[in-house]
Amino acid sequence: MRAVHRLIAGASFAALLTGTACAADGDWPTSGRDLGSQRYSPLTQITPANVTRLRRAWTYHMKPADAPGATASNRRFTSEAIPLVIGNVMYLPTPYSRVVALDASTGQEKWVAILPNNDVGSIRGVSYWPGDHTAPPSIVVGTRGGKLISLNARDGSLNAGFGNGGIVDLKTPEVMNGRPGDSYILPSPAIVWKNLLITGAGPGEGPGGSSGGKGPAGDTRAWDARTGKLVWTFKTIPGPGEPGHETWGGDSWKQRSGVNVWGYFTIDAKRGILYMPLGAPNNDRVGADRPGNNLYSSSIVAVRADTGKYLWHFQVTHHDVWDMDTQSPPTLVDVRRNGRVIPALVTVNKNSLMFVLDRVTGKPIFGAVERPVPASTIPGEQLSPTQPFPVLPEPLAQTELRRDNLYKGEAAHQAYCEKLVDDNNMKLGPIYTPLELDRYTVSLPGTQGGVNYYGGAYDPKRGLFIANVNNLAQPMRMVKTAEGTYVNQGPLAGTRRFWDADRRLPCGPTPWGQMVAVDINTGKIAWRSTLGVTDDFPAGLQNTGRPGLGGATLTATGLAIVGATDDKRFRAFDSRTGKEIWTTKLEAAAASTPIIYAGAGGKEFIAVVATGGSQNITKLEGDEVVAFSLP
């Protein structure tokens, strides 16, 4: 079945047909802007001195005019998309089974492509391939149906020479592990390297969708951008005879699911190295059936981008049973240390620990130590006796929950939190606190704490790595089933956060949201700033910070732009000091990362997708793409 595309009359596409292999300063050609995922714009019109003059330039509503409402068929998902901009054309997927091209200066539709079979594109964005002498510039989107679709960037039509009429089926026997009916999605966009489209995987998490941790493989694969043919595969769980296989006890590697890149890749273009941030294995709450450290789960793995050949790995969490994942894009930085410049990468994740690694060797630049952590009391669970911790920097978010550091402030909420802990006999603890049978365990950070898939950004001019963090915990409780397996179960477990769900107020210590800057040359915290306010609290108690999803983007002029928080604000901070200098309110939380680009005549815009959020952090309540500019 062919995709339906609609070309808006009168649109000009000359910019798409010019040479686009090298991004112009005003473009935003890939999710992180550059392959190293620095999310740093060289544009200079918008500055700390004039940012308060920003005004809404245009708004695009992703919901089609003929959609009857937010039904299961046309509004199943939020959007965390980072739009792309090439030559004054903006591209993004919507939650309504559509990919759209917009005039980046006005927000007017240029074309709309409706995905076949009511499929839904990746919630995190699309990819742009500039084409070559055999194929046109293309927009590539992965889908929740397990497809990789290539559209002509000029008009949204399917590229007939790619796969089967423009579509590649990612659910091949090699990754489905004999389970063709299981779910397999592409949650984040492919990264483009030369003529390759490199894809991660979404085989599902936990026991649901995977039987006892078994299910589709999370392998990384590269496809020819012109033909859709498979070029190489990197097996994220090593088989017999492969390095790392010994970290899976017995046959626990067989048909094992998870260990997948569900976030964003990064590439060192100079060296041709691909960096893969891999997630936890399934089941990601209990590992009694998978003894060992379980490579390459919760690791950064470096391979040759051309071939997928292994180079090195660094495991951030051994034998992960906390769903810590290493999912945020490794950010490429240059560390100036002891009179030399070291090519490095930064990896941060939900555990809030930031490792700065030599990106050629994988060795920690500021050191790392293996610290003892508690053992599990669950029968058969063999946790690693140690976990790696960086010597520097200090954790970006809070790493211990105690009875005496529960929320303090508004009297009613303070009492609620104390009662929640006491009535449920909750065990509170630090990072890597083991889960227990039939008792709630709550530690900081939780699975939505620290830094999530959006990662941080790097200012090469000032040597600062800047990220927004969540100080957010999550109750977990293991229960033994009648079949003898263990599941995370209970009215407060699952996706329930450690908070008053009705008022959406966390019970951990404030600030619940924060901006953090690290001096990349010293490994020390440069500044911290509270991110977000609680409007429902009385005056004087509102400066709590707020949890959220979505990252920050930096400018050459010294701005850190961020949405993310569930207070529906869009903010600018002075990246040198951390001072909040501009705030505006949106119709919904911007659970995505903003972009900065130049439109017609070189006019500078800042745009962000604001639909609310997912994962029970922010409410799903909007459908907008919003662009701001100076008057």
Side-chain angles (χ1 to χ4, degrees):
M1 179 177 178
R2 288 183 57 81
V4 178
H5 69 279
R6 176 162 54 90
L7 181 65
I8 308 302
S12 172
F13 296 93
L16 293 179
L17 304 179
T18 59
T20 51
C22 297
D25 282 354
D27 287 351
W28 195 279
T30 189
S31 295
R33 191 183 180 277
D34 60 277
L35 292 177
S37 202
Q38 293 186 348
R39 296 209 306 259
Y40 174 83
S41 171
L43 300 180
T44 58
Q45 284 180 14
I46 302 173
T47 71
N50 64 25
V51 68
T52 57
R53 299 176 59 210
L54 283 177
R55 299 293 183 268
R56 187 177 294 216
W58 56 260
T59 301
Y60 173 74
H61 293 279
M62 293 187 285
K63 181 179 176 181
D66 56 355
T71 68
S73 63
N74 65 26
R75 190 62 164 94
R76 289 171 285 175
F77 307 101
T78 183
S79 176
E80 299 164 357
I82 302 175
L84 305 185
V85 174
I86 312 291
N88 196 39
V89 183
M90 177 182 289
Y91 304 95
L92 74 156
T94 80
Y96 301 94
S97 299
R98 294 151 43 108
V99 175
V100 299
L102 310 177
D103 183 305
S105 298
T106 66
Q108 296 298 307
E109 287 181 350
K110 285 180 172 288
W111 55 254
V112 173
I114 301 173
L115 301 181
N117 302 315
N118 202 34
D119 207 346
V120 178
S122 163
I123 65 170
R124 298 194 180 100
V126 295
S127 308
Y128 174 78
W129 179 60
D132 61 14
H133 65 283
T134 66
S138 303
I139 299 301
V140 180
V141 59
T143 76
R144 299 195 66 87
K147 302 296 191 294
L148 192 65
I149 300 176
S150 179
L151 304 171
N152 189 313
R154 184 181 185 277
D155 59 12
S157 60
L158 286 164
N159 286 318
F162 181 84
N164 181 13
I167 303 172
V168 166
D169 189 353
L170 300 174
K171 297 178 67 171
T172 64
E174 293 81 9
V175 297
M176 294 309 291
N177 279 337
R179 307 169 66 91
D182 278 10
S183 172
Y184 184 96
I185 70 175
L186 197 63
S188 300
I191 194 167
V192 177
W193 172 246
K194 299 179 181 177
N195 290 329
L196 295 179
L197 307 172
I198 302 174
T199 59
E205 295 187 42
S210 296
S211 178
K214 297 186 183 300
D219 296 346
T220 295
R221 293 181 287 179
W223 312 83
D224 188 303
R226 296 160 295 196
T227 67
K229 291 182 179 179
L230 182 64
V231 176
W232 58 255
T233 299
F234 179 83
K235 292 197 294 184
T236 58
I237 297 177
E242 297 172 337
H245 177 67
E246 71 282 357
T247 64
W248 295 86
D251 289 336
S252 63
W253 62 279
K254 286 187 175 179
Q255 293 185 300
R256 178 67 57 178
S257 195
V259 193
N260 55 305
V261 177
W262 59 266
Y264 301 97
F265 295 96
T266 295
I267 292 177
D268 182 332
K270 179 180 178 180
R271 296 170 178 83
I273 301 175
L274 171 75
Y275 303 100
M276 300 183 287
L278 289 159
N282 284 349
N283 183 333
D284 56 15
R285 295 295 193 279
V286 62
D289 65 335
R290 49 176 173 87
N293 279 355
N294 306 145
L295 292 176
Y296 294 102
S297 70
S298 299
S299 302
I300 299 294
V301 179
V303 301
R304 290 287 176 199
D306 289 331
T307 64
K309 180 183 178 182
Y310 168 88
L311 295 174
W312 58 259
H313 75 275
F314 182 88
Q315 190 170 50
V316 174
T317 303
H318 308 317
H319 188 83
D320 192 350
V321 296
W322 300 273
D323 187 29
M324 284 304 173
D325 292 337
T326 312
Q327 73 299 311
S328 64
T331 306
L332 300 195
V333 303
D334 288 324
V335 176
R336 288 167 173 80
R337 187 170 170 82
N338 299 325
R340 65 191 185 100
V341 177
I342 306 170
L345 67 80
V346 171
T347 178
V348 290
N349 73 349
K350 303 173 191 175
N351 65 12
S352 84
L353 303 180
M354 173 175 159
F355 292 93
V356 184
L357 308 176
D358 185 308
R359 64 177 184 257
V360 177
T361 67
K363 303 299 182 184
I365 290 174
F366 295 108
V369 294
E370 291 281 341
R371 293 181 185 167
V373 292
S376 175
T377 59
I378 296 175
E381 182 67 271
Q382 302 174 43
L383 299 182
S384 171
T386 63
Q387 293 290 348
F389 288 79
V391 175
L392 287 172
E394 66 185 57
L396 302 192
Q398 301 182 51
T399 56
E400 184 170 8
L401 186 64
R402 305 182 307 274
R403 182 64 171 72
D404 64 3
N405 74 347
L406 297 177
Y407 169 76
K408 303 291 190 299
E410 196 243 16
H413 184 53
Q414 182 173 323
Y416 173 92
C417 294
E418 293 167 353
K419 188 174 189 300
L420 177 69
V421 170
D422 295 340
D423 287 357
N424 292 281
N425 186 31
M426 289 179 167
K427 178 181 177 180
L428 310 181
I431 183 175
Y432 296 130
T433 296
L435 279 62
E436 293 194 0
L437 279 177
D438 303 319
R439 184 185 182 188
Y440 287 108
T441 298
V442 193
S443 59
L444 276 172
T447 60
Q448 294 299 330
V451 183
N452 213 294
Y453 60 86
Y454 45 83
Y458 173 58
D459 182 336
K461 185 176 179 180
R462 298 166 183 85
L464 294 176
F465 175 85
I466 300 176
N468 50 302
V469 301
N470 289 327
N471 289 308
L472 189 60
Q474 179 169 324
M476 293 189 278
R477 182 182 71 169
M478 301 310 297
V479 175
K480 190 173 184 178
T481 68
E483 294 77 23
T485 59
Y486 300 104
V487 295
N488 179 36
Q489 195 174 78
L492 300 177
T495 59
R496 170 71 180 262
R497 311 304 171 200
F498 183 56
W499 65 1
D500 180 340
D502 294 332
R503 300 179 71 193
R504 305 182 69 82
L505 300 176
C507 281
T510 55
W512 295 323
Q514 205 172 29
M515 292 283 283
V516 184
V518 179
D519 184 321
I520 207 66
N521 297 314
T522 66
K524 298 190 177 174
I525 302 296
W527 52 259
R528 294 179 182 271
S529 185
T530 298
L531 176 64
V533 294
T534 298
D535 293 311
D536 291 343
F537 278 174
L541 296 177
Q542 295 182 341
N543 193 34
T544 59
R546 293 299 308 176
L549 292 169
T553 292
L554 310 181
T555 74
T557 61
L559 291 171
I561 311 293
V562 65
T565 50
D566 68 352
D567 61 5
K568 305 180 186 179
R569 301 315 201 272
F570 195 39
R571 295 176 167 91
F573 290 77
D574 187 317
S575 60
R576 294 160 292 191
T577 65
K579 180 181 179 181
E580 184 177 326
I581 53 179
W582 174 73
T583 306
T584 189
K585 196 164 187 179
L586 305 173
E587 280 68 31
S592 56
T593 299
I595 66 169
I596 303 172
Y597 63 92
K603 187 176 181 64
E604 191 172 319
F605 293 84
I606 298 175
V608 70
V609 172
T611 68
S614 62
Q615 304 177 65
N616 196 24
I617 290 184
T618 55
K619 294 180 180 179
L620 185 65
E621 54 188 346
D623 70 347
E624 294 183 346
V625 184
V626 186
F628 294 86
S629 65
L630 295 172

